[in-house]
Amino acid sequence: MSLPRNTDYGTPARESEKEVTLSIDGIEVTVPAGTSVMRAAQECDASIPKLCATDSLEPFGSCRLCLVEIEGRRGYPASCTTLVEPGMQVRTQTPKLAEIRRGVMELYISDHPLDCLTCSANGNCELQDMTGVVGLREVRYGMKGKNHFDLLSALSKDESNPYFTYDPSKCIVCNRCVRACEETQGTFALTISGRGFDSRVSPGESQPFMESECVSCGACVQACPTATLMEKGVIEHGQAEKKVTTTCAYCGVGCSFDAEVKGTTVVRMVPNKDGGANHGHSCVKGRFAFGYATHPDRITTPMIRKSIEDAWQPVSWDEAIGYAASEFKRIQAKYGRDSIGGIVSSRCTNEEGYLVQKLVRAAFGNNNVDTCARVCHSPTGYGLKQTLGESAGTQTFDSVMKSDVIMVMGANPTDGHPVFGSQMKRRLRQGAKLIVVDPRAIDLVRSPHIQATHHLKLKPGSNVAIITAMAHVVVTEGLVQEDFVRERCEWVSFEQWRDFVSKPENSPEAMEIHTGVPAAEVRAAARLFATGGNAAIYYGLGVTEHSQGSTTVIGIANLAMATGNIGREGVGVNPLRGQNNVQGSCDMGSFPHELPGYRHVSDSATRALFKDAWGVEPQPEPGLRIPNMFEAAMEGSFMGLYCEGEDIVQSDPNTQHVEAALRAMECVVVQDLFLNETAKFAHVFLPGSSFLEKDGTFTNAERRISRVRKAMPPLAGKADWEVTCMLSNALGYPMDYTHPSEIMDEIARLTPTFHGVSYQHLDELGSIQWPCNEQAPEGTPIMHIDEFVRGKGRFMLTEYVPTEERTSSRFPLILTTGRILSQYNVGAQTRRTPNSMWHDEDRLEIHPTDAELRGINEGDWVGISSRAGETVLRAVVSERMQPGVVYTTFHFPESGANVITTDNSDWATNCPEYKVTAVQVTRVTQPSEWQQRYRDFTKQQLDLLPKSPREKV
Amino acid sequence: MDIQNLVKMANQIGQFFQSYPNHEEAVDGVAGHIQRFWEPRMRNAILAHAQSGGETGLLPLVVEALQRVHGTQQAA
């Protein structure tokens, strides 16, 4: 028996202040004006048969199955394309309609293989359902005529995509896949080729899917009503038995999915139509790349060793935890209370993050806890807290549908946050204007039906110069929304800022030498931003990962306040978070200076609150941040680390420095799914659990808290939160939670912005955007509506200070780094899936001019050297780059992208300056010295694993 | 703690606040930042360096701010 399907209303919901009342089969129904007759009928439970209609797509009117009769109208209009009118009297079921519908179905079925019993869609096929609904009993034309399915006629299946197949013989040419690719995803990779009988779905120019522009988001598969486009998981396993609604573990969009499960096997992940962040859409990672969870590389047995030169010894959980605890106690006794600490990943749940900081604060007795948000969005936390009063984005994703001007700065949403990228593209196709501020021509600059009005192609490292120059234009050309500023902001800070940005040295003309962007272009972009209607800023790591990352965030907040673009739909300051739970891990107090809810450790009232709850008072001084931990390790005062879910050796800058720091420590405990790069330097390995194996919550970039629900049992027998509890207990600080819901209850009790959050409330509402408390029982989609969280908004000065990382004759190019759609962060998950078919190595993108100067051709091996180190990659010659700037991704450890990046960091937060490294690029014939050492070390470490690491003790 | 690195970090903080026209606000900004975000062993190392005499490599604004941090620590 297949899973029950959600109600499909046939056409999308419409918003209108005007309501229309009509009669459908004698029942009165009232709907917003603009609603289709089909949707209105479904609203009163009168299902009209349909094939080409589905409520995620605009009506198309091709299948002719949804015809109805309307009093006073001739003929039989299609209910999907006919809009409701006041007083309309509709009949959805009459003998004539039944006859027409049977006739239509008869034609469809006469060209469809009748292999239902062995078909992969059996039990979940809309064609099958509709045939039943209309009562088709015979096909008078027989099955022998010209068709698309018999041996002689059928086109071969396209199985090129690793995740789904395309079987043209089952296609009914309803266009749903083509429309999904256009409307939902915005890629326009599909079309219908041929005419009449020859019409077939065609990826690209009649190419296999994998050779076309298809980005494998799965929208077409989702939209297909038959088995034409079908997940290979379903073909292999059959229809699932149950579904578990959970949240994606990849990027900061935080898509809701139904994990469809059979026994303990996840058959497929289906995007949840009710998901507040994704509304039923998905990307290639969340939809398909979950196979890493059961990859043979998973290590499911705890292991210990005295030295990293020793073989790993598989042990019981108790023994591993006991050993880690005794080592931590020994180190603290020898080197002092502050000599150990913990790092928790933003890939972990809120509950896990909360427990790790609690472990550090209550059991270790210090504040040495940090999260990987340190290396991505810590400047967002600082900059937004200082200016607006809360370390979080101001909007809900849906807000973009009300934006008139969208400014994307240092972000690449179509690759990094693809589902939101699709939503943004939808708004841009509706006519919103786009300003892109990026050194690279990202896809958004020019893609089907989208063209940026301004692309400010700045030099890496000059963000502050651009944002200050834009502010100069806004102020000096009289474009400030003074009423807003007077009412909502600190006037003194505004005046100070106004005087500062008005200085001639902050004009676009004066800044041109730093930014490389023509002043006229900056002026035009600033005018558009200030006067084009609702203007919203979306930014990413291209803003934060700089020596002036926090300054740019502050500059963005200044610009939004000065132009009155904050506190309502369509506007706002929107950090696009790198990983799924960056927002959450920061909320949970994972930073060394803050307790949960962004309260500084020096605040004695907050410490007293935690003392009451925990029985231990947190220390009043800030702890070490990740890079400070490395520095302290090198000087011999930080000797033990508990690292959960994070791979600092691969993801943090200046790899050789990180490695040296880890080698200097006496006990490194790694809790992870795999023997990641950091685990190669560890003394204790505790097996982690993937998001499919545990309960918890993630908080996405729009502050949306969503449930993670267990879809299969943990492979190693324990969820991560249980492991942290065991470690704490072994250290003598009791943690006796029996379920993550109890951890959330504790978070809610202790954190004012979470007071109203509980698993029960999350189950009721689906998801909740914090703050959720007595003032906002159902959460807060838009922040700072009537006043800023800090009261009055505060303008701060943003003087441009060029980074110390400058080009020279020795290092004449600037390297900047980023990510790609198919791979995710350090790649530990996606590299272990067929996503590598799209991207199986990191490459160096270089402009043709720079390539030619160096005699570099496409595909050549090139050495990239910086002041920190050297690595070797293959070259891609591309005009997406500007001359003087090269680019690479960092998804593969052997690429050594972070061997080259330096220790430079943001002035306020120590967020590394990944985006600017001065390098030289030369043609080479062999891997770098580091890469050769890396290969030898990796081989040595893999040889030290037990023969069968999955074997239980 | 690598003192050169700490000097660089402290000067970066100084560079942010030195554009403030009100000198007191700038000194407070640097001192407050180091007080609120630097772990004590980092703070102690930079204070010791600032008091070591000779060329510290620190911006004058940072030196002044560190005196304020020192004063706060003495008072606590």
Side-chain angles (χ1 to χ4, degrees):
Chain A
M1 181 135 153
S2 58
L3 295 169
R5 257 177 268 154
N6 294 332
T7 303
D8 186 340
Y9 290 85
T11 64
R14 300 294 184 213
E15 278 182 25
S16 173
E17 284 173 11
K18 199 174 145 204
E19 294 202 316
V20 172
T21 301
L22 69 161
S23 158
I24 294 177
D25 295 334
I27 299 170
E28 274 210 348
V29 59
T30 303
V31 292
T35 301
S36 70
V37 169
M38 174 180 278
R39 189 174 179 100
Q42 190 62 55
E43 295 277 2
C44 59
D45 290 331
S47 293
I48 298 174
K50 59 184 184 298
L51 279 171
C52 73
T54 185
D55 56 15
S56 61
L57 301 172
E58 292 298 318
F60 193 59
S62 83
C63 76
R64 315 314 293 170
L65 204 59
C66 72
L67 310 184
V68 290
E69 291 179 11
I70 299 175
E71 192 67 37
R73 263 195 214 189
R74 284 193 304 169
Y76 305 93
S79 62
C80 61
T81 52
T82 305
L83 303 186
V84 294
E85 287 174 16
M88 198 180 237
Q89 299 205 4
V90 180
R91 287 184 294 279
T92 68
Q93 305 290 348
T94 68
K96 185 63 192 168
L97 289 172
E99 186 189 335
I100 296 172
R101 288 173 185 158
R102 270 197 293 272
V104 170
M105 280 312 294
E106 197 175 354
L107 286 166
Y108 273 117
I109 298 304
S110 70
D111 188 17
H112 197 81
L114 298 180
D115 60 350
C116 294
L117 291 181
T118 54
C119 176
S120 57
N122 188 17
N124 192 11
C125 171
E126 292 181 43
L127 188 71
Q128 197 178 41
D129 293 349
M130 289 305 117
T131 312
V133 163
V134 304
L136 184 66
R137 297 292 171 255
E138 61 169 338
V139 178
R140 289 167 294 169
Y141 315 111
M143 306 299 286
K144 290 189 179 156
K146 194 176 173 193
N147 64 60
H148 290 93
F149 61 81
D150 66 21
L151 279 177
L152 291 174
S153 321
L155 295 170
S156 57
K157 281 187 198 174
D158 175 0
E159 296 184 318
S160 62
N161 184 292
Y163 298 118
F164 61 84
T165 61
Y166 166 48
D167 181 353
S169 72
K170 297 198 167 167
C171 179
I172 58 170
V173 204
C174 64
N175 272 266
R176 273 163 65 164
C177 55
V178 176
R179 289 182 286 141
C181 192
E182 293 175 6
E183 295 174 27
T184 310
Q185 167 58 25
T187 294
F188 294 76
L190 302 181
T191 189
I192 300 290
S193 64
R195 289 183 175 196
F197 189 79
D198 292 332
S199 303
R200 286 293 98 173
V201 173
S202 156
E205 294 172 24
S206 298
Q207 296 158 296
F209 268 85
M210 277 304 273
E211 291 172 23
S212 75
E213 310 91 320
C214 167
V215 293
S216 195
C217 68
C220 57
V221 182
Q222 182 78 354
C224 180
T226 68
T228 308
L229 289 159
M230 180 57 82
E231 294 94 342
K232 288 183 177 173
V234 175
I235 294 171
E236 186 183 342
H237 298 291
Q239 302 286 335
E241 293 157 354
K242 63 171 180 175
K243 65 178 181 183
V244 180
T245 302
T246 190
T247 305
C248 179
Y250 285 116
C251 78
V253 177
C255 295
S256 176
F257 277 92
D258 289 332
E260 294 194 354
V261 183
K262 196 168 197 163
T264 58
T265 301
V266 177
V267 173
R268 65 174 174 179
M269 297 286 281
V270 179
N272 176 11
K273 224 162 73 166
D274 297 326
N278 58 318
H279 305 295
H281 190 34
S282 60
C283 80
V284 61
K285 294 189 284 280
R287 178 75 148 91
F288 296 118
F290 54 89
Y292 70 87
T294 49
H295 193 277
D297 285 355
R298 282 285 297 271
I299 294 182
T300 55
T301 307
M303 305 184 297
I304 59 172
R305 58 181 177 179
K306 281 258 181 280
S307 133
I308 69 163
E309 313 297 328
D310 294 344
W312 282 105
Q313 189 189 341
V315 293
S316 68
W317 276 105
D318 283 342
E319 201 174 335
I321 294 284
Y323 180 72
S326 70
E327 278 294 279
F328 284 153
K329 281 185 193 165
R330 179 186 65 76
I331 290 170
Q332 282 190 305
K334 185 173 171 190
Y335 298 99
R337 189 191 64 200
D338 298 333
S339 60
I340 62 172
I343 295 174
V344 62
S345 173
S346 298
R347 288 193 280 266
C348 298
T349 63
N350 285 319
E351 292 74 4
E352 288 156 5
Y354 177 84
L355 283 198
V356 171
Q357 64 86 34
K358 182 174 178 180
L359 172 92
V360 169
R361 294 195 158 108
F364 291 2
N366 61 45
N367 281 316
N368 294 331
V369 61
D370 211 351
T371 164
C372 60
R374 172 68 50 213
V375 300
C376 72
H377 265 288
S378 50
T380 291
Y382 177 81
L384 299 187
K385 179 97 176 166
Q386 296 293 318
T387 48
L388 311 181
E390 193 60 278
S391 301
T394 63
Q395 308 298 113
T396 188
F397 284 139
D398 286 348
S399 157
V400 78
M401 300 312 286
K402 300 275 169 69
S403 296
D404 303 307
V405 180
I406 298 168
M407 181 156 118
V408 177
M409 186 168 188
N412 186 5
T414 52
D415 279 49
H417 304 85
V419 169
F420 176 66
S422 289
Q423 187 174 23
M424 184 184 276
K425 288 204 286 188
R426 207 172 309 138
R427 181 61 188 160
L428 292 168
R429 289 197 304 274
Q430 291 173 0
K433 298 277 192 293
L434 175 66
I435 301 167
V436 172
V437 187
D438 204 291
R440 237 168 36 114
I442 57 170
D443 284 350
L444 271 181
V445 171
R446 189 177 161 82
S447 64
H449 303 282
I450 288 168
Q451 169 88 53
T453 306
H454 301 286
H455 176 201
L456 310 184
K457 204 170 184 175
L458 76 178
K459 291 181 190 166
S462 63
N463 284 333
V464 171
I466 278 279
I467 208 83
T468 306
M470 287 181 76
H472 176 93
V473 177
V474 169
V475 168
T476 57
E477 297 191 8
L479 307 178
V480 170
Q481 290 292 316
E482 207 171 305
D483 291 349
F484 179 91
V485 175
R486 278 191 186 280
E487 188 195 332
R488 302 284 309 272
C489 305
E490 287 177 356
W491 186 252
V492 175
S493 76
F494 169 74
E495 284 183 319
Q496 191 167 266
W497 175 79
R498 182 192 61 197
D499 296 346
F500 167 77
V501 298
S502 302
K503 290 179 181 173
E505 61 261 38
N506 287 326
S507 68
E509 289 74 16
M511 287 297 189
E512 199 173 311
I513 190 167
H514 301 297
T515 63
V517 183
E521 190 77 6
V522 177
R523 285 193 178 271
R527 287 173 196 139
L528 174 63
F529 185 84
T531 62
N534 282 343
I537 306 175
Y538 291 85
Y539 71 91
L541 307 182
V543 158
T544 55
E545 290 173 345
H546 287 277
S547 61
Q548 280 202 292
S550 292
T551 316
T552 311
V553 173
I554 288 168
I556 285 170
N558 288 339
L559 194 63
M561 289 190 290
T563 54
N565 279 308
I566 208 145
R568 61 178 189 278
E569 276 195 297
V571 300
V573 177
N574 303 276
L576 294 173
R577 307 289 188 156
Q579 306 209 56
N580 53 340
N581 204 35
V582 172
Q583 181 69 56
S585 70
C586 300
D587 301 342
M588 292 300 108
S590 305
F591 282 143
H593 65 283
E594 278 171 343
L595 287 156
Y598 303 100
R599 289 163 293 175
H600 199 268
V601 290
S602 63
D603 177 28
S604 52
T606 305
R607 283 204 315 280
L609 180 74
F610 280 86
K611 184 186 174 192
D612 272 357
W614 293 354
V616 174
E617 182 169 348
Q619 294 295 321
E621 293 280 11
L624 295 166
R625 301 173 284 203
I626 294 173
N628 312 146
M629 291 179 188
F630 300 150
E631 291 273 309
M634 297 299 282
E635 72 157 14
S637 69
F638 186 83
M639 307 305 279
L641 177 68
Y642 173 49
C643 182
E644 181 175 326
E646 185 58 10
D647 192 357
I648 45 181
V649 171
Q650 194 184 336
S651 65
D652 285 41
N654 196 351
T655 308
Q656 297 179 88
H657 178 66
V658 179
E659 290 176 355
L662 287 172
R663 280 182 192 273
M665 293 182 202
E666 293 183 3
C667 182
V668 175
V669 179
V670 167
Q671 187 170 321
D672 206 278
L673 304 179
F674 304 105
L675 191 84
N676 63 17
E677 301 309 306
T678 309
K680 292 172 187 166
F681 295 88
H683 307 88
V684 179
F685 185 91
L686 303 173
S689 49
S690 75
F691 77 114
L692 292 169
E693 298 158 57
K694 59 196 177 189
D695 285 297
T697 54
F698 288 143
T699 306
N700 75 354
E702 40 162 18
R703 295 167 281 103
R704 185 183 300 280
I705 309 162
S706 303
R707 275 298 313 277
V708 175
R709 293 185 179 88
K710 186 156 81 174
M712 57 193 246
L715 293 194
K718 293 196 186 300
D720 291 285
W721 62 272
E722 294 176 281
V723 180
T724 307
C725 289
M726 284 178 79
L727 180 58
S728 189
N729 289 330
L731 284 163
Y733 180 78
M735 285 191 188
D736 54 3
Y737 307 99
T738 58
H739 190 268
S741 63
E742 296 168 7
I743 306 170
M744 179 52 83
D745 291 343
E746 182 174 317
I747 296 165
R749 275 198 303 277
L750 293 169
T751 314
T753 45
F754 276 65
H755 274 342
V757 181
S758 67
Y759 278 25
Q760 191 190 337
H761 202 35
L762 283 165
D763 287 345
E764 287 159 5
L765 297 180
S767 61
I768 299 172
Q769 288 173 274
W770 68 259
C772 172
N773 46 31
E774 297 74 14
Q775 291 79 41
E778 300 208 339
T780 311
I782 310 278
M783 291 191 81
H784 315 295
I785 289 179
D786 297 318
E787 65 169 359
F788 287 101
V789 170
R790 72 184 299 281
K792 297 277 187 189
R794 175 191 183 198
F795 286 85
M796 293 176 79
L797 308 191
T798 56
E799 177 149 324
Y800 172 59
V801 181
T803 170
E804 288 191 5
E805 185 64 16
R806 299 200 188 141
T807 53
S808 62
S809 54
R810 206 170 140 220
F811 302 112
L813 303 172
I814 289 288
L815 169 78
T816 186
T817 60
R819 59 168 80 173
I820 201 163
L821 171 67
S822 54
Q823 296 285 357
Y824 178 68
N825 201 264
V826 294
Q829 294 146 286
T830 45
R831 277 187 279 115
R832 291 180 172 93
T833 70
N835 272 29
S836 290
M837 286 173 68
W838 283 274
H839 183 82
D840 59 359
E841 63 175 303
D842 296 319
R843 295 204 180 195
L844 186 84
E845 279 188 41
I846 184 167
H847 189 273
T849 310
D850 292 326
E852 197 184 336
L853 270 173
R854 292 165 175 76
I856 293 167
N857 296 309
E858 178 86 13
D860 282 351
W861 290 103
V862 291
I864 307 122
S865 52
S866 75
R867 293 176 180 97
E870 186 181 4
T871 195
V872 170
L873 299 171
R874 281 201 290 163
V876 173
V877 180
S878 160
E879 289 195 349
R880 278 157 67 106
M881 305 313 303
Q882 49 180 294
V885 181
V886 292
Y887 169 87
T888 187
T889 48
F890 57 94
H891 302 302
F892 290 81
E894 60 270 27
S895 303
N898 282 322
V899 173
I900 327 168
T901 53
T902 68
D903 284 329
N904 278 351
S905 67
D906 172 50
W907 67 270
T909 64
N910 273 162
C911 178
E913 189 171 45
Y914 290 109
K915 301 295 184 183
V916 187
T917 309
V919 296
Q920 177 59 291
V921 176
T922 47
R923 247 181 97 172
V924 295
T925 52
Q926 60 177 19
S928 72
E929 222 172 275
W930 177 86
Q931 281 166 316
Q932 292 176 36
R933 273 205 316 275
Y934 169 82
R935 280 177 201 170
D936 293 345
F937 181 63
T938 298
K939 183 178 179 314
Q940 177 206 347
Q941 286 299 317
L942 291 177
D943 287 346
L944 294 175
L945 277 175
K947 286 277 175 286
S948 172
R950 301 184 70 175
E951 201 174 282
K952 296 275 184 234
V953 181
Chain B
M1 293 297 181
D2 177 0
I3 195 66
Q4 285 317 311
N5 200 16
L6 293 179
V7 167
K8 180 175 161 185
M9 284 162 56
N11 282 343
Q12 280 184 289
I13 298 167
Q15 283 171 324
F16 177 82
F17 286 102
Q18 71 184 1
S19 59
Y20 276 77
N22 180 331
H23 183 67
E24 274 304 294
E25 194 178 355
V27 176
D28 264 353
V30 178
H33 196 90
I34 289 174
Q35 195 81 47
R36 287 175 74 79
F37 294 97
W38 282 32
E39 201 256 6
R41 71 192 97 170
M42 297 162 66
R43 231 160 44 207
N44 292 336
I46 195 92
L47 285 174
H49 176 71
Q51 288 160 1
S52 63
E55 179 49 55
T56 60
L58 292 165
L59 294 174
L61 174 64
V62 176
V63 172
E64 204 177 328
L66 288 173
Q67 285 164 356
R68 196 161 294 183
V69 173
H70 181 67
T72 314
Q73 291 204 173
Q74 294 291 307

